[in-house]
Amino acid sequence: GENVEQHPSTLSVQEGDSAVIKCTYSDSASNYFPWYKQELGKGPQLIIDIRSNVGEKKDQRIAVTLNKTAKHFSLHITETQPEDSAVYFCAATSYNDMRFGAGTRLTVKP
Amino acid sequence: DGGITQSPKYLFRKEGQNVTLSCEQNLNHDAMYWYRQDPGQGLRLIYYSQIVNDFQKGDIAEGYSVSREKKESFPLTVTSAQKNPTAFYLCASSIDRRYGYTFGSGTRLTVV
Protein backbone atom coordinates (compact mmCIF):
# COMPACT_ATOMS: atom_id res chain seq x y z
CA GLY A 1 0.00 0.00 0.00
CA GLU A 2 0.85 3.67 -0.18
CA ASN A 3 3.21 5.20 2.38
CA VAL A 4 3.50 8.97 2.80
CA GLU A 5 6.34 10.66 4.67
CA GLN A 6 6.18 14.33 5.62
CA HIS A 7 8.94 16.70 6.71
CA PRO A 8 9.59 18.63 8.81
CA SER A 9 7.41 17.69 11.77
CA THR A 10 7.67 21.24 13.13
CA LEU A 11 8.48 24.48 11.36
CA SER A 12 8.83 27.95 12.80
CA VAL A 13 9.10 31.02 10.58
CA GLN A 14 8.98 34.75 10.99
CA GLU A 15 5.90 36.58 9.72
CA GLY A 16 6.41 37.49 6.08
CA ASP A 17 8.85 34.66 5.38
CA SER A 18 8.08 31.64 3.22
CA ALA A 19 7.37 28.14 4.51
CA VAL A 20 7.92 24.89 2.64
CA ILE A 21 6.63 21.46 3.66
CA LYS A 22 7.70 18.37 1.76
CA CYS A 23 6.14 14.95 1.30
CA THR A 24 7.26 11.78 -0.42
CA TYR A 25 5.09 8.87 -1.48
CA SER A 26 5.89 5.29 -2.35
CA ASP A 27 3.27 4.17 -4.87
CA SER A 28 3.92 5.39 -8.41
CA ALA A 29 0.22 4.81 -9.19
CA SER A 30 -0.81 7.64 -6.83
CA ASN A 31 -2.56 10.35 -8.81
CA TYR A 32 -4.18 12.79 -6.38
CA PHE A 33 -2.37 14.85 -3.74
CA PRO A 34 -4.39 17.07 -1.39
CA TRP A 35 -3.14 19.30 1.43
CA TYR A 36 -5.11 19.95 4.60
CA LYS A 37 -4.83 22.61 7.30
CA GLN A 38 -5.93 21.77 10.83
CA GLU A 39 -6.37 24.49 13.41
CA LEU A 40 -6.38 23.66 17.10
CA GLY A 41 -9.43 21.66 18.17
CA LYS A 42 -10.91 21.59 14.66
CA GLY A 43 -11.12 19.17 11.78
CA PRO A 44 -8.71 19.42 8.82
CA GLN A 45 -9.74 21.63 5.91
CA LEU A 46 -8.72 21.06 2.31
CA ILE A 47 -6.62 24.05 1.21
CA ILE A 48 -5.21 22.96 -2.14
CA ASP A 49 -4.81 19.82 -4.21
CA ILE A 50 -3.03 18.66 -7.33
CA ARG A 51 -3.46 15.78 -9.73
CA SER A 52 -0.68 13.79 -11.33
CA ASN A 53 -1.11 15.38 -14.76
CA VAL A 54 -0.15 18.80 -13.36
CA GLY A 55 3.26 19.92 -12.09
CA GLU A 56 2.28 23.00 -10.15
CA LYS A 57 -0.82 24.75 -8.86
CA LYS A 58 -1.19 28.12 -7.15
CA ASP A 59 -3.92 29.74 -5.10
CA GLN A 60 -2.98 33.19 -3.85
CA ARG A 61 -0.19 32.70 -1.27
CA ILE A 62 -0.29 28.90 -1.46
CA ALA A 63 1.28 26.70 -4.10
CA VAL A 64 1.87 23.00 -4.50
CA THR A 65 4.48 21.37 -6.72
CA LEU A 66 4.63 17.74 -7.81
CA ASN A 67 7.62 15.76 -9.07
CA LYS A 68 6.26 12.41 -10.25
CA THR A 69 9.67 11.06 -11.18
CA ALA A 70 11.04 11.61 -7.70
CA LYS A 71 7.67 10.87 -6.07
CA HIS A 72 7.59 13.95 -3.96
CA PHE A 73 5.36 16.99 -3.63
CA SER A 74 5.62 20.18 -1.64
CA LEU A 75 3.47 22.92 -0.16
CA HIS A 76 4.76 26.47 -0.40
CA ILE A 77 3.28 29.31 1.63
CA THR A 78 4.57 32.79 0.83
CA GLU A 79 4.27 35.97 2.93
CA THR A 80 3.26 33.94 5.97
CA GLN A 81 0.86 35.44 8.49
CA PRO A 82 0.13 34.46 12.11
CA GLU A 83 -3.19 32.94 11.00
CA ASP A 84 -1.24 30.45 8.90
CA SER A 85 -0.14 28.81 12.17
CA ALA A 86 -1.67 25.32 12.19
CA VAL A 87 -0.90 21.68 11.50
CA TYR A 88 -0.63 20.82 7.82
CA PHE A 89 -1.18 17.34 6.42
CA CYS A 90 -0.29 16.06 2.98
CA ALA A 91 -1.99 13.02 1.46
CA ALA A 92 -1.66 10.78 -1.56
CA THR A 93 -4.34 8.67 -3.23
CA SER A 94 -3.64 5.39 -4.96
CA TYR A 95 -6.33 2.93 -6.12
CA ASN A 96 -9.00 4.72 -4.10
CA ASP A 97 -6.87 4.57 -0.93
CA MET A 98 -5.92 7.96 0.55
CA ARG A 99 -2.94 7.99 2.93
CA PHE A 100 -1.94 10.92 5.11
CA GLY A 101 1.44 12.17 6.21
CA ALA A 102 2.10 12.58 9.94
CA GLY A 103 1.64 16.36 9.81
CA THR A 104 3.75 19.51 10.16
CA ARG A 105 3.13 22.00 12.93
CA LEU A 106 3.76 25.44 11.45
CA THR A 107 4.25 28.38 13.77
CA VAL A 108 4.40 31.89 12.33
CA LYS A 109 5.94 34.34 14.76
CA PRO A 110 4.75 37.94 14.57
CA ASP B 1 -25.19 25.38 4.08
CA GLY B 2 -23.81 21.98 3.19
CA GLY B 3 -21.48 20.36 5.64
CA ILE B 4 -20.63 17.52 7.96
CA THR B 5 -21.64 17.55 11.61
CA GLN B 6 -20.14 15.53 14.42
CA SER B 7 -21.63 15.28 17.86
CA PRO B 8 -20.96 15.56 20.66
CA LYS B 9 -17.83 17.73 20.65
CA TYR B 10 -16.64 16.24 23.95
CA LEU B 11 -17.52 12.82 25.32
CA PHE B 12 -16.51 11.09 28.52
CA ARG B 13 -16.83 7.34 28.91
CA LYS B 14 -16.30 5.01 31.80
CA GLU B 15 -14.14 1.99 31.24
CA GLY B 16 -16.15 -0.99 30.04
CA GLN B 17 -18.88 1.09 28.39
CA ASN B 18 -19.74 1.33 24.72
CA VAL B 19 -20.24 4.79 23.29
CA THR B 20 -21.53 6.00 19.92
CA LEU B 21 -20.24 9.03 18.04
CA SER B 22 -22.56 10.69 15.57
CA CYS B 23 -21.65 11.86 12.06
CA GLU B 24 -24.16 13.42 9.65
CA GLN B 25 -23.55 15.03 6.25
CA ASN B 26 -25.81 16.90 3.85
CA LEU B 27 -23.31 17.11 0.99
CA ASN B 28 -24.85 14.18 -0.90
CA HIS B 29 -21.49 12.40 -0.69
CA ASP B 30 -21.45 8.66 -1.23
CA ALA B 31 -18.28 7.95 0.76
CA MET B 32 -17.79 8.46 4.49
CA TYR B 33 -14.85 7.76 6.78
CA TRP B 34 -13.80 7.63 10.42
CA TYR B 35 -10.29 8.56 11.50
CA ARG B 36 -8.56 8.53 14.84
CA GLN B 37 -6.02 11.21 15.72
CA ASP B 38 -3.68 10.91 18.68
CA PRO B 39 -1.55 13.83 19.93
CA GLY B 40 1.29 14.62 17.57
CA GLN B 41 0.28 11.90 15.16
CA GLY B 42 -1.36 11.70 11.79
CA LEU B 43 -4.74 10.36 10.82
CA ARG B 44 -5.36 6.66 11.10
CA LEU B 45 -8.32 5.14 9.24
CA ILE B 46 -10.79 3.17 11.36
CA TYR B 47 -13.61 2.39 8.93
CA TYR B 48 -14.90 3.67 5.64
CA SER B 49 -18.07 3.28 3.61
CA GLN B 50 -18.37 3.90 -0.10
CA ILE B 51 -22.10 3.28 -0.32
CA VAL B 52 -25.12 2.72 1.86
CA ASN B 53 -25.25 -0.65 3.62
CA ASP B 54 -21.60 -1.34 2.89
CA PHE B 55 -18.47 -0.55 4.89
CA GLN B 56 -14.89 -1.73 5.11
CA LYS B 57 -12.32 -1.98 7.88
CA GLY B 58 -9.46 0.45 7.88
CA ASP B 59 -6.06 0.07 9.52
CA ILE B 60 -7.23 0.14 13.15
CA ALA B 61 -10.78 -1.28 13.15
CA GLU B 62 -10.37 -3.52 16.21
CA GLY B 63 -12.64 -2.41 19.04
CA TYR B 64 -14.81 -0.25 16.79
CA SER B 65 -18.04 -0.83 14.84
CA VAL B 66 -20.03 1.21 12.33
CA SER B 67 -23.28 1.17 10.39
CA ARG B 68 -24.40 2.90 7.18
CA GLU B 69 -28.16 2.62 7.00
CA LYS B 70 -28.60 6.06 5.44
CA LYS B 71 -26.46 7.99 2.99
CA GLU B 72 -26.33 10.95 5.36
CA SER B 73 -25.28 9.11 8.50
CA PHE B 74 -22.25 7.05 9.55
CA PRO B 75 -22.18 6.51 13.33
CA LEU B 76 -19.13 5.01 15.04
CA THR B 77 -19.39 2.87 18.16
CA VAL B 78 -16.35 2.60 20.38
CA THR B 79 -16.74 -0.69 22.20
CA SER B 80 -15.30 -1.86 25.50
CA ALA B 81 -12.93 -4.02 23.45
CA GLN B 82 -11.00 -0.89 22.40
CA LYS B 83 -8.18 -0.84 24.94
CA ASN B 84 -7.07 2.75 24.51
CA PRO B 85 -10.02 4.76 23.21
CA THR B 86 -9.01 8.22 24.45
CA ALA B 87 -8.41 10.21 21.26
CA PHE B 88 -9.78 12.80 18.85
CA TYR B 89 -12.15 11.22 16.34
CA LEU B 90 -12.74 12.73 12.93
CA CYS B 91 -15.47 11.91 10.46
CA ALA B 92 -15.13 12.84 6.79
CA SER B 93 -17.03 12.47 3.55
CA SER B 94 -16.23 12.73 -0.15
CA ILE B 95 -17.72 12.05 -3.57
CA ASP B 96 -15.48 9.00 -3.61
CA ARG B 97 -12.01 8.07 -2.38
CA ARG B 98 -10.29 9.77 -5.31
CA TYR B 99 -11.38 13.23 -4.22
CA GLY B 100 -10.64 15.54 -1.34
CA TYR B 101 -12.42 14.96 1.91
CA THR B 102 -14.66 17.29 3.89
CA PHE B 103 -14.01 16.76 7.59
CA GLY B 104 -16.23 17.34 10.56
CA SER B 105 -15.06 19.31 13.57
CA GLY B 106 -14.27 16.18 15.57
CA THR B 107 -15.25 14.50 18.82
CA ARG B 108 -12.79 14.32 21.67
CA LEU B 109 -13.39 11.11 23.61
CA THR B 110 -11.91 10.67 27.07
CA VAL B 111 -12.11 7.51 29.14
CA VAL B 112 -12.43 8.23 32.85
Side-chain angles (χ1 to χ4, degrees):
Chain A
E2 176 64 275
N3 182 47
V4 179
E5 295 191 0
Q6 183 172 345
H7 300 280
S9 57
T10 61
L11 179 60
S12 181
V13 300
Q14 207 66 37
E15 182 177 359
D17 289 348
S18 295
V20 180
I21 302 170
K22 299 181 179 181
C23 290
T24 60
Y25 60 99
S26 60
D27 191 342
S28 57
S30 289
N31 56 11
Y32 175 64
F33 307 90
W35 285 88
Y36 295 87
K37 175 184 181 181
Q38 185 178 26
E39 296 177 344
L40 193 62
K42 298 183 178 180
Q45 277 193 308
L46 178 68
I47 56 172
I48 195 168
D49 56 14
I50 192 168
R51 296 200 178 270
S52 58
N53 57 346
V54 176
E56 183 176 1
K57 184 176 179 180
K58 289 183 180 179
D59 183 5
Q60 300 182 358
R61 296 186 297 109
I62 294 173
V64 57
T65 58
L66 171 65
N67 183 327
K68 285 184 61 180
T69 303
K71 289 190 277 190
H72 67 70
F73 56 113
S74 300
L75 178 71
H76 305 253
I77 306 175
T78 59
E79 300 173 18
T80 54
Q81 301 167 4
E83 51 265 38
D84 294 328
S85 296
V87 177
Y88 292 81
F89 291 97
C90 63
T93 302
S94 168
Y95 299 113
N96 294 338
D97 184 21
M98 184 176 292
R99 295 286 166 167
F100 290 85
T104 296
R105 182 172 299 279
L106 172 65
T107 302
V108 179
K109 294 181 282 187
Chain B
D1 286 339
I4 184 165
T5 302
Q6 289 187 243
S7 61
K9 190 171 179 66
Y10 300 96
L11 190 56
F12 296 88
R13 189 196 90 173
K14 292 183 180 179
E15 285 192 25
Q17 286 183 338
N18 293 355
V19 63
T20 297
L21 283 59
S22 171
C23 179
E24 303 276 335
Q25 56 100 358
N26 60 4
L27 298 165
N28 201 33
H29 285 168
D30 285 315
M32 297 187 75
Y33 319 84
W34 276 105
Y35 284 88
R36 171 178 171 143
Q37 187 174 32
D38 292 287
Q41 296 193 29
L43 306 174
R44 293 188 289 168
L45 182 64
I46 304 172
Y47 268 99
Y48 67 96
S49 167
Q50 299 193 86
I51 197 167
V52 174
N53 292 324
D54 185 55
F55 48 84
Q56 306 294 328
K57 292 182 179 180
D59 299 320
I60 55 166
E62 186 176 349
Y64 300 96
S65 66
V66 294
S67 63
R68 186 88 188 275
E69 297 176 2
K70 299 187 300 181
K71 186 175 186 177
E72 301 79 17
S73 179
F74 191 40
L76 173 75
T77 296
V78 184
T79 75
S80 57
Q82 170 51 237
K83 298 306 179 189
N84 185 21
T86 294
F88 190 51
Y89 290 87
L90 287 161
C91 180
S93 70
S94 68
I95 297 170
D96 65 39
R97 298 192 79 188
R98 296 167 295 173
Y99 293 86
Y101 296 171
T102 299
F103 282 90
S105 55
T107 292
R108 187 167 299 281
L109 173 63
T110 303
V111 173
V112 296

